[in-house]
C-alpha cells in the first residue's frame, strides 16, 4: 500500500518546504503549492489523502479552496493553518467540512497528530459510506421489507417495504413506524426458536396505506448505525404462507375424510355382499307367498311389511356403498326428464305427499333437454333425497320446485365448488323453507352429518349420496341458501355421443314375463341364493339348474347346453363371475348370461360389459326385476 500523500498549500515558501520535510520524515509523501491555483492544479494531477491549507493566499482564501476540494475531492481531509484566525473563519471552515482549524505557529507534534487523525476520520467516513451502501444494496436485494428505526421512529427503509405497504420512503421517515404499519393488538410471539442476537419472530397484521391488512412475520435486531445503537426489523409478507397453510389444512381435512371413506368403503363392501344375500330371502319369499295367497289372507299385510322392511334395509346398504364410492350400477344414455317424471309417479313420491300434504311439488322440465350417460337408479335416488330433505325442512305449508335445464359454462364457475367449463344438464331442487345456516352449509355433504333426529328421520346419508352420485358421474354440485329457502343444483355432463345414439327406453314390466321351460343355470356359492333364484325361476316358467362354483358351472356346460347362465359376481373360494364367463365362452361362444351381485365395483362391471354381458341385476332382486332382465336377454334372440 502506498504511503499517505499530503499537499501543503502556503505562500510562505520556507514554511511550506519545512512542513514538507517534516511530513516526509514521518513517512508521508508530501507536495507543496504556493497559491490556490497551483494547489488546484496539483489536485487535478494526483490523489491526496490530506491537504494543509493556509487561510490567506495571494489569489483566494483557504475556505474557498476548502469548498472546492470538498466538492471535487470528498475523500481528501482538509486542515486549515493560519496566523490570523477569527471565529467567523473557524466556523465557516467547519461548515465546509474542514477537519480542524490550527493557529500558526503550530507545534510539529500537534500538526502530525491532527493530520493522522484527519486521515483516519476520512477513512472511517469512507468505511461508513461503503457500509451503508452495502447495506442498502443488500436491503434492496432481499425480498423482505427492511426498516431501521430508533425508539420507533423510522430512519431508513428499503423499496420492498415501501412496495409491501404502499408508501413512498419519504412518507415514512420520522414517523412512528409500528403505529403506522402494524396492528399492535395483533402482534403475537411465535413459538419458534429465535436467534440469540434477535428478538422474535413475531406474527402480526400489516396495515397498508389503503387500510387493508395482511399477515406478516418480523424479527428485530440491535445494530450500530451512524454511531448509535438502533434497531433493524425484517418484515415478511406471509400471505402466500397463510394461503398455503389454509390449503394444507383443507387437504388434510380431505385426506382425513378420504381415509374415513376408505374405512367406510372397506366396511361397507365387506358386509354388503353378505347382507344383500340375506335381504334376498326377506324380500323374495314374501313376494312368492303373496302370489300364492289370496287377497283375503289374514297376514297379507304383515307379509307386505316384511317385504318392504327388506327393501328399506337393502336401500340403506346401497346408500353406504354409494357414499363409499365403491358401488357401481350400469349407466345408460337417458333423458333426465323421463327419470324425474317416473319418480313423481312413484310410490315413494306418493308416500311423501301423504306425509306432507301441505307441500306442493311442481316440475319445470326443459323440453329439448340433452341426454346424459347415467345410472337411473342413482339419479332417482339423488332427486328423491333432495325432495325429501326439502319437504322436511319446510315443516308446514310450502313449495318444492324441480327443474331441468341445459347449461353451458364457457369458463370455470365458482360456486359451492369449482365447476369446470363444459355442457351440462342441470337438475335443481328448490324449496321455500328456512334455509341452511352458514355453520351447517359447509358440512351438509359429509356422511352422517345430519340435523335430523337419528333413528326417526334418516341416517344422515342422504346428501352424501347426492354428492357422491354426482361426482361418480363426473358432475358438480352447487348450493344457494338464505332465510327464504334453499336451492340445490346438480350438474351432469351431457353425453358426448348423444348425436350418434338414442336414449335407452326403459322397459316397463306391467305383467310378469314367463318363460317356456328354458334352461337357466344359476351359479352362486351360497346355497340359500341358489334356492331363492331357483324358486323364482320356476315360478316364472323356466327350468332352473344350479352350480355352487364357477369351476362346476364350466364343467357342466361342457357337456350340457343351457339357454342362459345367472352368475354371481363374487364367489369364494374359486374364480369370480367374470372369469367364469370368460372360460365358458371358450367352450360355448355366444353363451347368454346375466350377472348378479350384492356388491361389485366399476372394474367388475366394465369387464362384464367387455365380455358381452348387458344385464346386471343387483341383489337383493325382486321377481319383477329378474323377470325383466330375463326378458331383455332371452327375448333379444
Amino acid at each position: 500500500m502506498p504511503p499517505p500523500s499530503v499537499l501543503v498549500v502556503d505562500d510562505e515558501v520556507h514554511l511550506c518546504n519545512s512542513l514538507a520535510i517534516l511530513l516526509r520524515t514521518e513517512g508521508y509523501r508530501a507536495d507543496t503549492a504556493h497559491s490556490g491555483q497551483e494547489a488546484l492544479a496539483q489536485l487535478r494531477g494526483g490523489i491526496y489523502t490530506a491537504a494543509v491549507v493556509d487561510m490567506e493566499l495571494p489569489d483566494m482564501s483557504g475556505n474557498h479552496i476548502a469548498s472546492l476540494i470538498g466538492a471535487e475531492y470528498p475523500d481528501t481531509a482538509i486542515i486549515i493553518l493560519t496566523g490570523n484566525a477569527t471565529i467567523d473563519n473557524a466556523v465557516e471552515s467547519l461548515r465546509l467540512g474542514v477537519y480542524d482549524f490550527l493557529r500558526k505557529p503550530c507545534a510539529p507534534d500537534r500538526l502530525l497528530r491532527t493530520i493522522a487523525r484527519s486521515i483516519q476520520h476520512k477513512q472511517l467516513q469512507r468505511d461508513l459510506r461503503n457500509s451503508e451502501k452495502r447495506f442498502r444494496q443488500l436491503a434492496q436485494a432481499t425480498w423482505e421489507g427492511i426498516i431501521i428505526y430508533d425508539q420507533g421512529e423510522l430512519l431508513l427503509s428499503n423499496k420492498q417495504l415501501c412496495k409491501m405497504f404502499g408508501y413512498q420512503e419519504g412518507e415514512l421517515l420520522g414517523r412512528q413506524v409500528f403505529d403506522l404499519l402494524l396492528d399492535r393488538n395483533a402482534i403475537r410471539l411465535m413459538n419458534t426458536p429465535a436467534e440469540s442476537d434477535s428478538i422474535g419472530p413475531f406474527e402480526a397484521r400489516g396495515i397498508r396505506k389503503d387500510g387493508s391488512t395482511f399477515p406478516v412475520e418480523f424479527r428485530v435486531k440491535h445494530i450500530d448505525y451512524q454511531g448509535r445503537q438502533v434497531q433493524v426489523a425484517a418484515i415478511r409478507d406471509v400471505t402466500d404462507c397463510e394461503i398455503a397453510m389454509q390449503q394444507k389444512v383443507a387437504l388434510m381435512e380431505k385426506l382425513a375424510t378420504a381415509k374415513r371413506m376408505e374405512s367406510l368403503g372397506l366396511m361397507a363392501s365387506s358386509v354388503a355382499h353378505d347382507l344383500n344375500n340375506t335381504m334376498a330371502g326377506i324380500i323374495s319369499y314374501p313376494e312368492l307367498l303373496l302370489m300364492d295367497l289370496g287377497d283375503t289372507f289374514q297376514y297379507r299385510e304383515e307379509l307386505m311389511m316384511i317385504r318392504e322392511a327388506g327393501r328399506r334395509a337393502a336401500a340403506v346398504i346401497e346408500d353406504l356403498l354409494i357414499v363409499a364410492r365403491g358401488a357401481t350400477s350400469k349407466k345408460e344414455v337417458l333423458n333426465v326428464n323421463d327419470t324425474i317424471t317416473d319418480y313423481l309417479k312413484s310410490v315413494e313420491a306418493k308416500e311423501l305427499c301423504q306425509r306432507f300434504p301441505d307441500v306442493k311439488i311442481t316440475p319445470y322440465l326443459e323440453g329439448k333437454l340433452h341426454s346424459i350417460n347415467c345410472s337411473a337408479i342413482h339419479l332417482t335416488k339423488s332427486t328423491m333425497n333432495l325432495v325429501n330433505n326439502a319437504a322436511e325442512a319446510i315443516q308446514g305449508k310450502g313449495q318444492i320446485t324441480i327443474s331441468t335445464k341445459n347449461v353451458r359454462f364457457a369458463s370455470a364457475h365458482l360456486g359451492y365448488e369449482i365447476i369446470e367449463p363444459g355442457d351440462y344438464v342441470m337438475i335443481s331442487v328448490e324449496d321455500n323453507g328456512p334455509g341452511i345456516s352458514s355453520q351447517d352449509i359447509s358440512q351438509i355433504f359429509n356422511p352422517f352429518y345430519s340435523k335430523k333426529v337419528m333413528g326417526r328421520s334418516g341416517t344422515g346419508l342422504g346428501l352424501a349420496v347426492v354428492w357422491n352420485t354426482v361426482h361418480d358421474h363426473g358432475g358438480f354440485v352447487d348450493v344457494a341458501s338464505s332465510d327464504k329457502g334453499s336451492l340445490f343444483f346438480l350438474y351432469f355432463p351431457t353425453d358426448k355421443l348423444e348425436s350418434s345414439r338414442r336414449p335407452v327406453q326403459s322397459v316397463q314390466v306391467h305383467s310378469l314375463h314367463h318363460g317356456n321351460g328354458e334352461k337357466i343355470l344359476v351359479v352362486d356359492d351360497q346355497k340359500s341364493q341358489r334356492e331363492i333364484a331357483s324358486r323364482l325361476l320356476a315360478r316364472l316358467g323356466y327350468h332352473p339348474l344350479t352350480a355352487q362354483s364357477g369351476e362346476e358351472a364350466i364343467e357342466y356346460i361342457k357337456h350340457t347346453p343351457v339357454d342362459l347362465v345367472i352368475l354371481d359376481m363374487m364367489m369364494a373360494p374359486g374364480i369370480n363371475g367374470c372369469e367364469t364367463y370368460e372360460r365358458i365362452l371358450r367352450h360355448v361362444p355366444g353363451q347368454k348370461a346375466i350377472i348378479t351381485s350384492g356388491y361389485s365395483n366399476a372394474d367388475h362391471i366394465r369387464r362384464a360389459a367387455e365380455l358381452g354381458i348387458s344385464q346386471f341385476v343387483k341383489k337383493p332382486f325382486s321377481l319383477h326385476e329378474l323377470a325383466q332382465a330375463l326378458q331383455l336377454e332371452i327375448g333379444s334372440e
Side-chain angles (χ1 to χ4, degrees):
M1 175 181 283
S5 57
V6 180
L7 176 62
V8 181
V9 186
D10 202 303
D11 58 347
E12 295 182 22
V13 178
H14 179 71
L15 176 60
C16 196
N17 291 335
S18 298
L19 291 177
I21 293 170
L22 174 64
L23 291 168
R24 292 180 188 125
T25 303
E26 293 296 323
Y28 292 96
R29 182 175 65 82
D31 294 325
T32 61
H34 305 300
S35 67
Q37 292 297 334
E38 186 180 354
L40 294 176
Q42 290 275 54
L43 286 164
R44 285 192 290 271
I47 299 174
Y48 290 93
T49 311
V52 180
V53 182
D54 185 15
M55 178 60 78
E56 297 178 357
L57 295 169
D59 52 353
M60 64 184 70
S61 70
N63 279 341
H64 184 55
I65 295 175
S67 67
L68 295 174
I69 294 173
E72 297 185 31
Y73 311 102
D75 289 336
T76 301
I78 306 169
I79 300 165
I80 294 295
L81 185 63
T82 181
N84 188 17
T86 66
I87 293 177
D88 290 341
N89 284 340
V91 171
E92 178 66 13
S93 296
L94 296 175
R95 188 185 68 79
L96 292 171
V98 171
Y99 176 74
D100 207 348
F101 191 92
L102 301 178
R103 184 188 295 272
K104 294 178 182 178
C106 179
D109 290 346
R110 183 182 179 189
L111 178 62
L112 291 171
R113 284 197 304 271
T114 302
I115 292 173
R117 288 173 180 171
S118 70
I119 293 173
Q120 185 180 29
H121 178 71
K122 277 294 180 183
Q123 182 62 47
L124 290 173
Q125 285 184 328
R126 284 195 298 273
D127 291 344
L128 181 59
R129 283 198 304 272
N130 291 335
S131 176
E132 290 180 358
K133 182 179 179 181
R134 286 194 299 272
F135 171 78
R136 280 191 172 275
Q137 289 174 339
L138 290 172
Q140 302 299 347
T142 183
W143 55 275
E144 295 179 322
I146 303 293
I147 55 173
I148 295 178
Y149 61 96
D150 185 15
Q151 297 182 352
E153 183 177 308
L154 184 71
L155 305 176
L156 182 69
S157 68
N158 66 347
K159 63 182 181 182
Q160 281 78 1
L161 181 119
C162 295
K163 182 179 179 181
M164 189 185 301
F165 287 90
Y167 288 96
Q168 297 294 326
E169 186 177 20
E171 298 177 279
L172 299 173
L173 293 176
R175 301 183 68 176
Q176 287 293 318
V177 64
F178 283 101
D179 291 336
L180 184 65
L181 301 182
L182 299 178
D183 180 0
R184 286 186 175 271
N185 294 327
I187 297 176
R188 299 287 185 274
L189 180 64
M190 296 174 64
N191 294 323
T192 57
E195 299 175 11
S196 58
D197 59 343
S198 68
I199 304 173
F202 299 91
E203 59 181 5
R205 300 294 299 181
I207 306 172
R208 297 188 181 94
K209 187 178 179 179
D210 62 8
S212 61
T213 65
F214 61 104
V216 298
E217 292 178 7
F218 66 95
R219 294 174 183 264
V220 177
K221 289 187 178 182
H222 294 283
I223 63 168
D224 291 323
Y225 179 75
Q226 296 183 345
R228 54 175 167 163
Q229 273 274 318
V230 297
Q231 291 78 43
V232 59
I235 302 177
R236 178 184 302 175
D237 181 349
V238 293
T239 301
D240 291 342
C241 295
E242 186 175 82
I243 293 174
M245 181 58 68
Q246 291 172 351
Q247 292 174 340
K248 180 180 179 181
V249 170
L251 287 173
M252 290 177 67
E253 290 177 352
K254 287 183 178 180
L255 178 60
T257 300
K259 288 183 176 179
R260 288 196 297 271
M261 289 298 96
E262 182 180 6
S263 299
L264 178 61
L266 291 172
M267 180 272 292
S269 60
S270 64
V271 302
H273 184 266
D274 292 339
L275 283 177
N276 279 325
N277 283 336
T278 303
M279 290 296 108
I282 298 176
I283 294 172
S284 300
Y285 286 135
E287 200 166 37
L288 290 172
L289 289 171
L290 289 169
M291 292 179 67
D292 290 337
L293 300 172
D295 293 341
T296 59
F297 179 63
Q298 181 180 0
Y299 299 108
R300 182 176 184 84
E301 184 176 351
E302 283 77 1
L303 285 173
M304 293 177 66
M305 291 174 64
I306 293 171
R307 181 185 62 180
E308 185 61 26
R311 288 176 176 174
R312 292 184 182 279
V316 173
I317 298 170
E318 177 69 11
D319 286 350
L320 281 171
L321 292 174
I322 294 172
V323 170
R325 305 288 287 273
T328 300
S329 291
K330 182 175 63 178
K331 290 182 173 63
E332 302 169 328
V333 179
L334 299 172
N335 187 295
V336 171
N337 288 346
D338 296 337
T339 306
I340 292 176
T341 301
D342 290 343
Y343 161 68
L344 293 176
K345 296 177 181 178
S346 68
V347 174
E348 290 82 2
K350 292 177 182 178
E351 288 179 351
L352 184 71
C353 292
Q354 292 175 357
R355 288 173 56 204
F356 302 96
D358 294 330
V359 176
K360 183 180 179 181
I361 303 175
T362 305
Y364 289 97
L365 309 180
E366 183 165 318
K368 296 182 179 180
L369 197 68
H370 296 311
S371 298
I372 64 173
N373 190 29
C374 70
S375 163
I377 295 174
H378 291 165
L379 190 66
T380 302
K381 182 74 172 179
S382 297
T383 305
M384 182 176 66
N385 287 347
L386 290 176
V387 173
N388 287 346
N389 283 359
E392 292 179 353
I394 292 172
Q395 296 178 348
K397 189 174 183 179
Q399 174 74 41
I400 298 174
T401 303
I402 306 176
S403 304
T404 61
K405 186 178 180 181
N406 295 321
V407 175
R408 167 173 288 183
F409 291 111
S411 58
H413 174 73
L414 179 60
Y416 191 86
E417 59 178 332
I418 298 175
I419 302 173
E420 297 177 359
D423 293 316
Y424 298 91
V425 170
M426 180 197 75
I427 303 174
S428 66
V429 177
E430 182 178 12
D431 66 70
N432 60 351
I436 306 169
S437 69
S438 57
Q439 293 83 4
D440 293 332
I441 201 165
S442 63
Q443 305 180 69
I444 55 175
F445 295 108
N446 291 344
F448 305 110
Y449 181 82
S450 176
K451 304 296 285 187
K452 302 176 182 179
V453 178
M454 186 64 67
R456 287 175 52 190
S457 50
T459 61
L461 288 174
L463 289 179
V465 168
V466 173
W467 178 271
N468 286 278
T469 295
V470 173
H471 285 85
D472 281 339
H473 284 75
F476 300 93
V477 177
D478 197 5
V479 184
S481 186
S482 67
D483 56 0
K484 296 181 180 179
S486 300
L487 180 56
F488 286 80
F489 301 91
L490 312 183
Y491 295 96
F492 293 90
T494 58
D495 179 45
K496 300 188 183 303
L497 300 177
E498 180 181 13
S499 60
S500 63
R501 57 187 183 185
R502 296 181 179 180
V504 173
Q505 300 297 322
S506 60
V507 177
Q508 299 294 330
V509 180
H510 299 290
S511 61
L512 289 177
H513 173 79
H514 285 73
N516 294 309
E518 291 92 341
K519 292 182 179 180
I520 309 295
L521 178 62
V522 179
V523 186
D524 201 300
D525 59 333
Q526 291 200 14
K527 181 180 179 181
S528 61
Q529 299 305 303
R530 297 193 299 272
E531 290 179 353
I532 292 172
S534 295
R535 294 192 183 194
L536 293 176
L537 288 169
R539 182 58 57 89
L540 291 171
Y542 297 98
H543 177 58
L545 304 165
T546 62
Q548 62 182 352
S549 69
E551 292 85 352
E552 183 180 332
I554 295 168
E555 291 300 319
Y556 185 91
I557 288 178
K558 283 182 182 180
H559 306 97
T560 307
V562 296
D563 295 288
L564 183 138
V565 181
I566 297 178
L567 288 162
D568 184 24
M569 179 68 80
M570 308 296 290
M571 294 184 288
I575 57 177
N576 63 26
C578 282
E579 189 174 351
T580 299
Y581 185 61
E582 188 173 5
R583 295 188 187 182
I584 288 175
L585 290 176
R586 297 173 189 171
H587 303 284
V588 186
Q591 174 67 61
K592 291 184 176 296
I594 292 174
I595 285 288
T596 68
S597 181
Y599 168 74
S600 292
N601 59 34
D603 293 336
H604 292 150
I605 299 299
R606 190 180 304 111
R607 180 58 183 152
E610 290 172 353
L611 292 172
I613 298 177
S614 61
Q615 297 303 311
F616 171 79
V617 183
K618 186 144 183 59
K619 293 180 180 180
F621 48 79
S622 67
L623 187 67
H624 285 76
E625 290 169 339
L626 180 60
Q628 180 175 343
L630 290 167
Q631 179 184 359
L632 290 171
E633 191 62 31
I634 296 181
S636 64
E637 294 178 338

